[in-house]
Amino acid sequence: MLPKRQPVSYFADEKYNGQKGRKLVEDILGGESDFPFPKSVHSVIDCIDLFLPKDGIVLDFFAGSGTTGHATLMLNDRDGGSRQFILCTNNENNIARDDCYERIKRIIYIL
């Protein structure tokens, strides 16, 4: 395993591009998503990995399309962690049911 690095002021790698976040959500959900600006799952993975222990709990009050839950599951799969997540949203335009819930359900099935 590579040693952890101190964060820099911004993430400049192409994998952090938000357009890739949108494409990922569309690929997972099998078409277009009503959620316009999902974050890159890689930026969230790196933030969780930098600041949360392997058995920590992530709380996301603005879950949107579920990127934080997705990132937590991917990171646990990658490093054997047991992180948990709590996702909250106001379900505006059915985002919780149509996007967030569906995304997390499909990622659990894939991993």
Side-chain angles (χ1 to χ4, degrees):
M1 180 185 283
L2 296 173
K4 293 191 182 206
R5 298 176 296 163
Q6 291 296 316
V8 294
S9 60
Y10 63 94
F11 294 130
D13 193 287
E14 182 63 25
K15 70 182 181 180
Y16 303 118
N17 184 318
Q19 292 301 319
K20 291 187 178 188
R22 181 169 179 76
K23 171 108 174 64
L24 178 62
V25 171
E26 289 175 352
D27 289 348
I28 292 168
L29 297 179
E32 288 193 32
S33 166
D34 290 333
F35 195 75
F37 305 108
K39 297 174 288 298
S40 165
V41 72
H42 299 288
S43 60
V44 180
I45 286 171
D46 287 353
C47 288
I48 292 170
D49 192 30
L50 282 168
F51 300 108
L52 192 72
K54 285 186 174 185
D55 62 349
I57 300 173
V58 180
L59 174 60
D60 184 352
F61 279 107
F62 303 98
S65 67
T67 303
T68 301
H70 185 171
T72 304
L73 292 168
M74 286 180 66
L75 188 56
N76 283 342
D77 187 58
R78 183 173 82 188
D79 69 8
S82 59
R83 297 168 196 88
Q84 299 176 52
F85 56 89
I86 301 169
L87 305 178
C88 306
T89 184
N90 64 0
N91 202 31
E92 183 178 345
N93 298 321
N94 293 319
I95 192 78
R97 184 189 66 218
D98 297 343
D99 290 79
C100 187
Y101 171 78
E102 252 331 287
R103 179 180 187 177
I104 299 302
K105 180 175 77 171
R106 292 176 188 201
I107 292 303
I108 289 170
Y109 180 74
I110 291 169
L111 296 176

